[in-house]
Amino acid sequence: MKISRVLPLVVGAAMLLAVVGCDQRPPAASAQQATAVPGTQVKKTYQDMVVGYAQIGAESEWRTANTASVKETAQQLGVELKFSDGQQKQENQIKAIRSFIAQKVDVIGVPPVVETGWETVFIEAKDAGIPIILVDRRAAVPEDLYVTYLGSDFIEEGRNAARVMVQLMNGKANIVELVGTIGSAPANDRYKGFREILKDYPDRKIIDSQSGDFTRARGREVMETFLKTHGNKINALYAHNDDMAIGAILAIEAAGLKPGKDIKIVSVDAVHGAFEAMIAGKLNATVECNPLLGPQFFEMALKVVNGEPVPKWVPSKEGIYYPNNAKDILPMRKY
Ligand code: AHR
């Protein structure tokens, strides 16, 4: 080829190099540089995030499902998760939050075991620039101390349980109530919502109400006490969760009575154990409370670290389940 023909090609190539520069970095780094407009930040992905989750413990089937949802979702998305089990103690959850702050995680998720006593540690997180997401339970703190709450309307769950109870007990009802963990948001709200509806039905009375701490063992013990105190007078039970209802069913049977018939039972959660009890005719209804909050939690966490707006409350969608179709529905239930 003649020099006169080659020269324009050489000059063209040299001009092109002068424009793009001699970038020796790998293509991915160059591409990232290209999306980072000066003055703006590159968006974080799930794989960039370190998230702390200060779980309450393992008091119920519901809680076990909640833990599994958080852990499985973190693994699927590639989020680095630091998980702590507070063994039902607020002081342990507070310690876990402090340790997450010291480790400089990007976001902290917490289902507060009780409503009060969180302000100091939430302020510490805020001062460290670490957002708090309330998962499952609310805390009684000013709104600027958490970014969002993901979870149920516990008052509505209590109202729904009462609506079902009113239908089940056509005439006079002597109801005993198994309350959840004292001072917790679901116990406070399910207690309140139930009474809101029941006040219009004076023939349906709550004759006793005590805490079973959301566990099967305590549900059984407290039901035994109710039966000793009130005997055959009891014809209805409202349990703030399925585990306590399942414990109470054992106490009712041990007393020679038929749960679901002699004593009508309504509880909350809709876990597998409740469906099994309904199929066996021992539980009359369960009001759903969804524990599968992992996907929403990490979605909100990613938005928050990227400075995107999130709603102050992401409410769960929930139903009510009855024995008539429990057998068909159980295989489709995820928890
Ligand atoms: O906060 C949700 C409640 O906590 C569930 O209803 C109960 O089963 C759990 O322990």
Side-chain angles (χ1 to χ4, degrees), residues 59-60 62-63 136-137 154 186 190 214 240-241 269 289:
E59 75 281 4
S60 60
W62 190 102
R63 187 67 50 203
D136 156 38
R137 297 186 184 180
F154 296 132
R190 289 172 190 166
F214 282 131
H240 285 198
N241 81 342
D269 276 357
C289 178

mmCIF file of all heavy atoms in Angstrom, residues 59-60 62-63 136-137 154 186 190 214 240-241 269 289, ligand 1:
data_model
loop_
_atom_site.group_PDB
_atom_site.id
_atom_site.type_symbol
_atom_site.label_atom_id
_atom_site.label_comp_id
_atom_site.label_asym_id
_atom_site.label_seq_id
_atom_site.Cartn_x
_atom_site.Cartn_y
_atom_site.Cartn_z
ATOM 1 N N GLU A 59 -39.717 -17.356 69.718
ATOM 2 C CA GLU A 59 -40.806 -17.720 70.629
ATOM 3 C C GLU A 59 -41.967 -18.443 69.966
ATOM 4 O O GLU A 59 -42.769 -19.053 70.656
ATOM 5 C CB GLU A 59 -41.308 -16.454 71.366
ATOM 6 C CG GLU A 59 -42.181 -15.480 70.560
ATOM 7 C CD GLU A 59 -41.398 -14.560 69.612
ATOM 8 O OE1 GLU A 59 -40.177 -14.714 69.500
ATOM 9 O OE2 GLU A 59 -42.041 -13.693 68.989
ATOM 10 N N SER A 60 -42.081 -18.359 68.627
ATOM 11 C CA SER A 60 -43.277 -18.907 67.980
ATOM 12 C C SER A 60 -42.942 -19.398 66.572
ATOM 13 O O SER A 60 -41.882 -19.080 66.022
ATOM 14 C CB SER A 60 -44.343 -17.811 67.888
ATOM 15 O OG SER A 60 -43.837 -16.730 67.114
ATOM 16 N N TRP A 62 -44.395 -18.358 64.036
ATOM 17 C CA TRP A 62 -44.382 -17.106 63.270
ATOM 18 C C TRP A 62 -42.962 -16.528 63.222
ATOM 19 O O TRP A 62 -42.445 -16.152 62.168
ATOM 20 C CB TRP A 62 -45.334 -16.104 63.931
ATOM 21 C CG TRP A 62 -45.608 -14.869 63.135
ATOM 22 C CD1 TRP A 62 -46.724 -14.610 62.394
ATOM 23 C CD2 TRP A 62 -44.767 -13.708 63.001
ATOM 24 N NE1 TRP A 62 -46.626 -13.370 61.805
ATOM 25 C CE2 TRP A 62 -45.435 -12.800 62.168
ATOM 26 C CE3 TRP A 62 -43.520 -13.347 63.488
ATOM 27 C CZ2 TRP A 62 -44.906 -11.561 61.823
ATOM 28 C CZ3 TRP A 62 -42.977 -12.116 63.132
ATOM 29 C CH2 TRP A 62 -43.682 -11.239 62.311
ATOM 30 N N ARG A 63 -42.322 -16.477 64.399
ATOM 31 C CA ARG A 63 -40.985 -15.863 64.484
ATOM 32 C C ARG A 63 -39.969 -16.679 63.676
ATOM 33 O O ARG A 63 -39.075 -16.117 63.029
ATOM 34 C CB ARG A 63 -40.576 -15.777 65.965
ATOM 35 C CG ARG A 63 -39.293 -15.018 66.242
ATOM 36 C CD ARG A 63 -39.364 -13.541 65.950
ATOM 37 N NE ARG A 63 -40.516 -12.920 66.551
ATOM 38 C CZ ARG A 63 -41.057 -11.779 66.127
ATOM 39 N NH1 ARG A 63 -40.534 -11.124 65.119
ATOM 40 N NH2 ARG A 63 -42.133 -11.285 66.713
ATOM 41 N N ASP A 136 -42.036 -5.735 61.436
ATOM 42 C CA ASP A 136 -43.031 -6.503 62.204
ATOM 43 C C ASP A 136 -43.673 -5.706 63.348
ATOM 44 O O ASP A 136 -44.879 -5.681 63.448
ATOM 45 C CB ASP A 136 -42.410 -7.833 62.700
ATOM 46 C CG ASP A 136 -43.097 -8.410 63.925
ATOM 47 O OD1 ASP A 136 -44.334 -8.318 63.999
ATOM 48 O OD2 ASP A 136 -42.414 -8.967 64.794
ATOM 49 N N ARG A 137 -42.888 -5.076 64.227
ATOM 50 C CA ARG A 137 -43.477 -4.369 65.375
ATOM 51 C C ARG A 137 -43.038 -2.912 65.407
ATOM 52 O O ARG A 137 -41.891 -2.606 65.098
ATOM 53 C CB ARG A 137 -43.056 -5.033 66.689
ATOM 54 C CG ARG A 137 -43.545 -6.454 66.819
ATOM 55 C CD ARG A 137 -43.243 -7.023 68.187
ATOM 56 N NE ARG A 137 -43.630 -8.426 68.253
ATOM 57 C CZ ARG A 137 -43.489 -9.191 69.320
ATOM 58 N NH1 ARG A 137 -42.964 -8.697 70.432
ATOM 59 N NH2 ARG A 137 -43.872 -10.457 69.296
ATOM 60 N N PHE A 154 -52.014 -4.326 63.658
ATOM 61 C CA PHE A 154 -52.396 -5.236 64.745
ATOM 62 C C PHE A 154 -53.765 -4.895 65.345
ATOM 63 O O PHE A 154 -54.460 -5.767 65.852
ATOM 64 C CB PHE A 154 -51.350 -5.213 65.863
ATOM 65 C CG PHE A 154 -49.985 -5.722 65.461
ATOM 66 C CD1 PHE A 154 -48.838 -4.995 65.771
ATOM 67 C CD2 PHE A 154 -49.831 -6.926 64.789
ATOM 68 C CE1 PHE A 154 -47.576 -5.457 65.430
ATOM 69 C CE2 PHE A 154 -48.576 -7.400 64.438
ATOM 70 C CZ PHE A 154 -47.456 -6.659 64.759
ATOM 71 N N PRO A 186 -48.016 -5.953 69.231
ATOM 72 C CA PRO A 186 -49.147 -6.813 68.860
ATOM 73 C C PRO A 186 -50.061 -7.129 70.039
ATOM 74 O O PRO A 186 -51.287 -7.220 69.867
ATOM 75 C CB PRO A 186 -48.483 -8.081 68.304
ATOM 76 C CG PRO A 186 -47.075 -8.032 68.745
ATOM 77 C CD PRO A 186 -46.725 -6.596 68.942
ATOM 78 N N ARG A 190 -53.801 -5.864 69.653
ATOM 79 C CA ARG A 190 -54.819 -6.923 69.503
ATOM 80 C C ARG A 190 -55.801 -6.876 70.673
ATOM 81 O O ARG A 190 -56.977 -7.217 70.526
ATOM 82 C CB ARG A 190 -54.141 -8.296 69.389
ATOM 83 C CG ARG A 190 -53.440 -8.453 68.057
ATOM 84 C CD ARG A 190 -52.584 -9.710 67.969
ATOM 85 N NE ARG A 190 -51.768 -9.671 66.749
ATOM 86 C CZ ARG A 190 -50.743 -10.466 66.497
ATOM 87 N NH1 ARG A 190 -50.392 -11.391 67.375
ATOM 88 N NH2 ARG A 190 -50.058 -10.350 65.383
ATOM 89 N N PHE A 214 -46.839 -15.270 74.097
ATOM 90 C CA PHE A 214 -46.742 -15.725 72.705
ATOM 91 C C PHE A 214 -46.150 -17.138 72.571
ATOM 92 O O PHE A 214 -45.754 -17.524 71.464
ATOM 93 C CB PHE A 214 -45.913 -14.749 71.842
ATOM 94 C CG PHE A 214 -46.640 -13.508 71.405
ATOM 95 C CD1 PHE A 214 -46.068 -12.241 71.562
ATOM 96 C CD2 PHE A 214 -47.894 -13.572 70.813
ATOM 97 C CE1 PHE A 214 -46.731 -11.081 71.144
ATOM 98 C CE2 PHE A 214 -48.557 -12.431 70.394
ATOM 99 C CZ PHE A 214 -47.973 -11.188 70.563
ATOM 100 N N HIS A 240 -53.917 -14.332 71.311
ATOM 101 C CA HIS A 240 -53.236 -13.336 70.472
ATOM 102 C C HIS A 240 -52.284 -13.973 69.458
ATOM 103 O O HIS A 240 -51.747 -13.269 68.613
ATOM 104 C CB HIS A 240 -52.447 -12.356 71.339
ATOM 105 C CG HIS A 240 -53.296 -11.345 72.054
ATOM 106 N ND1 HIS A 240 -52.794 -10.183 72.581
ATOM 107 C CD2 HIS A 240 -54.623 -11.334 72.336
ATOM 108 C CE1 HIS A 240 -53.765 -9.492 73.154
ATOM 109 N NE2 HIS A 240 -54.884 -10.178 73.031
ATOM 110 N N ASN A 241 -51.979 -15.282 69.600
ATOM 111 C CA ASN A 241 -51.290 -15.962 68.498
ATOM 112 C C ASN A 241 -51.640 -17.445 68.491
ATOM 113 O O ASN A 241 -52.211 -17.981 69.457
ATOM 114 C CB ASN A 241 -49.773 -15.704 68.487
ATOM 115 C CG ASN A 241 -48.982 -16.576 69.445
ATOM 116 O OD1 ASN A 241 -49.530 -17.160 70.375
ATOM 117 N ND2 ASN A 241 -47.679 -16.656 69.232
ATOM 118 N N ASP A 269 -52.329 -15.279 63.392
ATOM 119 C CA ASP A 269 -51.065 -15.620 62.712
ATOM 120 C C ASP A 269 -51.303 -16.393 61.411
ATOM 121 O O ASP A 269 -50.706 -16.087 60.412
ATOM 122 C CB ASP A 269 -50.080 -16.438 63.566
ATOM 123 C CG ASP A 269 -49.223 -15.568 64.487
ATOM 124 O OD1 ASP A 269 -49.344 -14.325 64.419
ATOM 125 O OD2 ASP A 269 -48.449 -16.132 65.273
ATOM 126 N N CYS A 289 -51.382 -12.992 60.066
ATOM 127 C CA CYS A 289 -50.357 -11.962 60.322
ATOM 128 C C CYS A 289 -49.127 -12.459 59.553
ATOM 129 O O CYS A 289 -48.577 -13.512 59.872
ATOM 130 C CB CYS A 289 -50.066 -11.871 61.820
ATOM 131 S SG CYS A 289 -48.787 -10.687 62.233
HETATM 132 O O1 AHR B 1 -45.141 -9.563 66.229
HETATM 133 C C1 AHR B 1 -45.822 -10.618 65.654
HETATM 134 C C2 AHR B 1 -46.154 -11.625 66.697
HETATM 135 O O2 AHR B 1 -44.975 -12.092 67.301
HETATM 136 C C3 AHR B 1 -46.847 -12.878 66.221
HETATM 137 O O3 AHR B 1 -48.222 -12.772 66.168
HETATM 138 C C4 AHR B 1 -46.438 -13.834 67.275
HETATM 139 O O4 AHR B 1 -46.713 -15.173 66.966
HETATM 140 C C5 AHR B 1 -45.009 -13.506 67.343
HETATM 141 O O5 AHR B 1 -44.318 -14.078 68.344
#
